Each structure stands twice: as C-alpha cells, then as structure tokens.
C-alpha cells in the first residue's frame, strides 16, 4: 500500500515542502530511501524500525521504498524520522490516513519511540503558514517555538504512540495556542548597568546615540580605560524588539539550533562577541550546506569585536559587504543561500601595539612605523562604515576613587526608546528600521541642511578628507542626535557633534 506524508527541508532560513512517500510491496524485507538523503536521513531506517517495534507496532516485514520529493533537493538531518514513521504506520493501515494531507510532520525519534526536538521548526512553521497548511505535528519540546506563528495549528507530542493516537482520534486533541506578544513581553533586560561606569561622558553619549540609531561604533583607548565595560552595557539600553523583528531573530536562532529547550521567542536583542581568532566562515556563515554565522546571529542586535586589530585583516574585510547591504549571500556549487545580517558593529581597540599612544599617564614606546602597521589592519573602506569613532581616555585618580556612580541604564533606555519610536513613525511606510539603514533618497528627504550647517560640513570634509560614505554617516548620526533631542530639523550643533565622532579620521 502507498501512503504520503509531508515534511520540510531547510535551505538557509527558508523551508521547502517535502513529500514523504512510503510504498510497502512484495519482495525481500528491507528499506530503501531515495530522493537525495544525507547520512542522517539514511540512518532513519534503523531508528524508525526500532522505534516502531519498541512502541508496540507491527513493523511490516516486506520491501519498503521511501521516496523524498523533490528528488533534486538535498534532505538532511534527523527531522524526517517522524514523517517516515507515520508513513510506514499509514501504509500498513495502523493509523488513519485522513489527516495526513493537512499536516506537516517533523521530529527525531529515539529507539523507544520518544520524540526529540529538531532545529529550524519556526522557519518551517512560517513557511507552512504562508502555504496555507492546516497544522504541524512536532516534538513537544518544539511546540511553543512553532506556535508563535499565528494562523496554524500546532500539536506537540512526546511519543510516536501519541502521534498515532492523534491521527486515529483527532477530536480528542486541541492545538497549542500561545500569545506571541505576551512571550515578547517577558524580555529580561541585562543585569549590566551603566551606573557602574564612572566618567567617560563622551563614550556614554556615543553609546546612547548608537543605540537609538543603530549606528556602528568603535572605542579607541589604552588598556583599562573601560572600552569593553562600556560595550557590554550596550544591550541594557537598546530599544525593545518589535514582534516582527523578534520573529526574524528567532527564526535565525532556530535554524542554527540555538533556541533553548521549550523556547519560543528570542525576546532580547542578540549580543554576540566572537574571539579574535574567529575565521571568516564563522563570522559570515558557511559549511557544505550553509548555516548562519556570527553576523547573522547578531541580526537586529550587536556584534562586538573586542581588540579589533587582533582579528586577521582578511576576516575583517568579510564584514564590508554585510555592513552595507544588511545581508550576506553564501554561494556553493549546489546552492546559493542568503542570510539577513542587519546588525550593529561595536568594536574596541588600542591606539597602538603597546596601547598607550596619546595617553597622558604612560608614554608610548611604539615607533611611527609600528603604529602605521598596526592601523594598516583596518582598511579605509571598513572604517568608513563605522559611524561613531570615539577616543576613550583612562580615568583620573580622583575619578577612580569617587564613590558616586554614573547615570543608570534605565533613564538612558527610556530616551533611546522615545527616539526609536520617532524613527519608527518616520519610516512606518518605508523599509528602514533605524537611521543607520537610510539610503541616499532618505538622506535627501530627512537630512536637509541650512546654509550654515552645510558650510560646516563642507569644511569638515576638506579638513578630514572624508569620503562620500563617511559624509553620509555623519548625516545619519546627526539625524539621530536630533531625534534624541526631539527636534525635526538638523541644526549646526547636531552636525558639529556628529563630526566630533570621527576620531580616527582626525588622527590620520
């Protein structure tokens, strides 16, 4: 007898519908899987056979042919265990076939029939909803993740016997329903607080501007000046994720297998901090069958590169295109996959190899050639893409011993959230979600300058040798400064402050 179930396979962060056809016919007992399966899918034969037997079902001792269609799409991972098992039960008339066309089945099976969670369930649920599929049958540990997608029935089960019982007696089961907005409301803000940072008024101001407008930021200063401490407190002042943004972020983490068991939504903006020994593929993503890298895992959040100049130059150059386009495309012989990568780049570095160039306390021991070679690791095009370049100096002794703390994160977060709301209202009918994402036509509309302000900017371009890209970034920062001040027009003071955040341009 022939039975057909439905499942899905991941291509990047998108899902493709896969038909699982099971034919039981005469011949020598055995199982054949066709349709371009990988090793994990091939091994499903033994897992499913043992699981069905140990669950108390009769396993047909006949020739079983399992076809995964479309045949030219690579099928990988253990998520096909459940649709194959259900297909065998249906083809051997041990479960009702009535519901099979309406549901997609996903899940790995243990040898005793227990269902284990798999990756990418949210992406598959989103695709199923778009295609008008009635529902999903998934392991119980994946149910909350899938149920975030509205308009689709999600049933989560612990065991293959529960799935069989659902197919035979569907009226006894009800789909899982959760409130996605409520899940997002459970966001827990990071415990690191800006009140722990003493002094550093300009660096704190730069953090606030970066958080409000989504701008890239680099701190330059000697060891112990607080660069890393400042950067790690950035998540505590970032604006909250919208529901659509949370779905994007969660989908990427689901594909990467990074959602916690029984998790649903990623409710806080990501903060990723790879080590400086990271390779290019680990940053941008890769593999024979591409998976998201650090820049995609930082989507709608922060990618923090501590000790930026310790990264290999060729690795840093991988960041240029994603910083400009907001996505990364990975091409392989068999397929090309795009991952979203709209992230804030936050970096820190010393001003020279010894770390003390320009320090008022300890003299620098580096030669001009050493300093030149040190900065040569950072190309001009890469630095052009960093909006805020801030010098961080060591604290004075009296500042270190001062008992008073700095401004806490909460009031800063409120100012950032208010500015972010103004930005979202401005772009409610457009693509950008932050000022840093504005294109040329947005700048012409929202960053108009009067004559005095234009003359100031032109003077800075001549003196600092700024490129057109760097000039656009100054305008974007000025627009954010104006939004923080709740002003509709960009004034001379806004542009003047934005120019002050081109520290590295002034150093050269």
């Amino acid at each position: 007898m022939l039975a057909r179930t439905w499942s899905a396979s991941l291509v990047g962060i998108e899902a493709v519908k896969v038909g699982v056809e099971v034919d039981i016919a005469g011949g020598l007992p055995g199982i054949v899987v066709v349709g371009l399966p990988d090793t994990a899918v091939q091994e499903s034969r033994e897992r499913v056979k043992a699981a069905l037997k140990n669950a108390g079902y009769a396993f047909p001792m006949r020739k079983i042919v399992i076809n995964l269609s479309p045949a030219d799409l690579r099928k990988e991972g253990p998520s096909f265990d459940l649709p194959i098992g259900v297909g065998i039960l249906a083809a051997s008339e041990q479960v009702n076939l009535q519901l099979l066309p309406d549901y997609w089945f996903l899940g790995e099976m243990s040898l005793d029939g227990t269902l284990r969670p798999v990756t990418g369930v949210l992406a598959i649920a989103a695709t199923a909803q778009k295609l008008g599929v009635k529902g999903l049958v998934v392991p119980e540990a994946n149910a909350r993740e899938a149920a975030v997608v509205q308009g689709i029935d999600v049933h989560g089960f612990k065991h293959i016997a529960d799935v069989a019982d659902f197919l035979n007696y569907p009226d006894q089961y009800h789909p899982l329903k959760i409130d996605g907005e409520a899940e997002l409301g459970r966001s827990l803000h990071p415990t690191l607080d800006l009140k722990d940072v003493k002094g550093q008024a300009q660096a704190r101001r730069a953090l606030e501007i970066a958080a409000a407008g989504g701008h890239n930021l680099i701190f330059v200063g000697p060891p112990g000046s607080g660069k890393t401490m400042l950067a790690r407190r950035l998540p505590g002042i970032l604006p909250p994720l919208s529901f659509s943004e949370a779905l994007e972020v969660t989908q990427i983490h689901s594909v990467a297998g990074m959602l916690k068991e029984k998790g649903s939504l990623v409710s806080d903006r990501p903060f990723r901090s790879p080590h400086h020994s990271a390779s290019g593929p680990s940053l941008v993503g890769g593999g024979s069958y591409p998976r998201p890298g650090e820049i995609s895992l930082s989507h709608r959040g922060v990618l923090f590169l501590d000790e930026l100049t310790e990264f290999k130059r060729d690795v840093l150059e991988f960041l240029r295109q994603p910083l400009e386009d907001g996505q990364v495309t990975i091409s392989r012989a068999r397929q090309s996959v795009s991952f979203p990568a709209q992230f804030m780049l936050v970096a820190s570095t010393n001003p020279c190899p010894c770390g003390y160039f320009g320090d008022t306390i300890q003299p620098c021991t580096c030669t001009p050639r050493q300093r030149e070679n040190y900065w040569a690791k950072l190309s001009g095009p890469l630095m052009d893409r960093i909006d805020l370049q801030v010098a961080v100096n060591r604290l004075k002794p009296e500042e270190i011993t001062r008992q008073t703390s700095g401004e806490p994160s909460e009031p800063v977060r409120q100012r950032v959230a208010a500015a972010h709301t103004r930005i979202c209202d401005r772009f409610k009918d457009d693509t950008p979600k932050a000022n840093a994402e504005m294109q040329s036509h947005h700048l012409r509309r929202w960053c108009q300058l009067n004559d005095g302000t234009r003359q100031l900017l032109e003077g800075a371009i001549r003196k600092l040798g700024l490129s057109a890209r760097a000039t656009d970034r100054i305008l974007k920062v000025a627009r954010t400064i104006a939004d923080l001040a709740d002003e509709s027009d960009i004034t001379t003071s806004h542009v003047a402050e934005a120019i002050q955040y081109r520290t590295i341009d002034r150093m050269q």
Side-chain angles (χ1 to χ4, degrees), residues 110-322:
S110 299
L111 298 186
D112 62 354
T114 301
L115 300 183
R116 299 172 57 84
V118 293
T119 62
V121 170
L122 178 61
I124 293 172
T127 300
Q129 190 269 340
K130 292 177 185 177
L131 296 179
V133 177
K134 181 179 180 180
L136 259 64
V137 175
V138 299
E140 186 178 55
N142 289 125
R144 293 186 64 84
E145 175 186 345
V148 169
V149 179
Q150 304 299 308
I152 188 170
D153 293 344
V154 175
H155 294 271
F157 299 105
K158 293 182 178 180
H159 197 274
I160 182 63
D162 300 327
V163 177
D165 195 52
F166 162 71
L167 294 174
N168 289 327
Y169 309 102
D171 294 339
Q172 299 180 10
Y173 294 85
H174 300 285
L176 174 66
K177 298 293 184 183
I178 66 171
D179 186 346
E181 298 288 351
E183 291 289 313
L184 188 59
R186 295 178 183 177
S187 171
L188 297 176
H189 294 296
T191 57
L192 297 179
D193 199 295
L194 276 174
K195 68 181 181 181
D196 301 327
V197 179
K198 298 180 179 180
Q200 306 297 2
Q202 186 185 34
R204 293 170 61 100
R205 171 66 170 170
L207 273 183
E208 183 175 340
I209 295 170
H215 300 288
N216 301 322
L217 167 68
I218 184 172
F219 289 127
V220 183
S225 56
K227 304 184 296 296
T228 303
M229 185 179 186
L230 283 159
R232 292 195 178 277
R233 279 151 181 77
L234 177 58
I237 63 173
L238 291 174
L241 283 170
S242 67
F243 184 69
S244 61
E245 289 175 329
L247 281 177
E248 293 176 14
V249 174
T250 307
Q251 189 166 329
I252 297 170
H253 284 70
S254 174
V255 170
M258 297 182 64
L259 287 185
K260 295 180 179 179
E261 189 172 310
K262 298 185 180 180
S264 51
L265 274 180
V266 174
S267 53
D268 287 312
R269 292 185 181 272
F271 184 90
R272 306 288 300 177
S273 181
H275 191 260
H276 60 75
S277 61
S279 64
S282 71
L283 281 182
V284 301
S288 301
Y289 300 95
R291 286 289 182 266
E294 291 290 343
I295 61 174
S296 294
L297 294 172
S298 305
H299 181 63
R300 300 299 174 195
V302 177
L303 176 67
F304 176 46
L305 301 184
D306 201 6
E307 303 297 342
L308 184 66
T309 49
E310 297 300 321
F311 285 79
K312 295 180 180 178
R313 180 185 172 106
D314 59 337
V315 172
L316 295 177
E317 293 303 298
F318 283 134
L319 297 174
R320 287 167 53 177
Q321 180 262 334

Side-chain angles (χ1 to χ4, degrees), residues 215 426-427 432-443 446-447 472 475-477 479-480:
H215 300 288
R426 179 186 305 130
F427 298 126
K433 294 183 181 295
N435 284 339
E437 300 175 25
M438 287 193 292
Q439 303 297 322
S440 297
H441 62 283
H442 299 120
L443 294 176
W446 301 110
C447 299
D472 286 349
L475 290 175
K476 294 176 184 178
V477 172
R479 178 67 267 171
T480 300

Side-chain angles (χ1 to χ4, degrees), residues 7 40-41 43-48 51-52 76-86 105-119 121 124 137-142 157-161 163:
S7 188
V41 180
E43 292 173 348
S44 294
R45 297 176 299 179
E46 304 305 323
R47 285 195 299 271
V48 170
L52 294 182
E76 58 178 346
S79 62
F80 290 98
D81 288 6
L82 182 57
I84 289 174
V86 170
F105 297 83
L106 302 163
E108 177 185 348
M109 283 201 289
S110 299
L111 298 186
D112 62 354
T114 301
L115 300 183
R116 299 172 57 84
V118 293
T119 62
V121 170
I124 293 172
V137 175
V138 299
E140 186 178 55
N142 289 125
F157 299 105
K158 293 182 178 180
H159 197 274
I160 182 63
V163 177

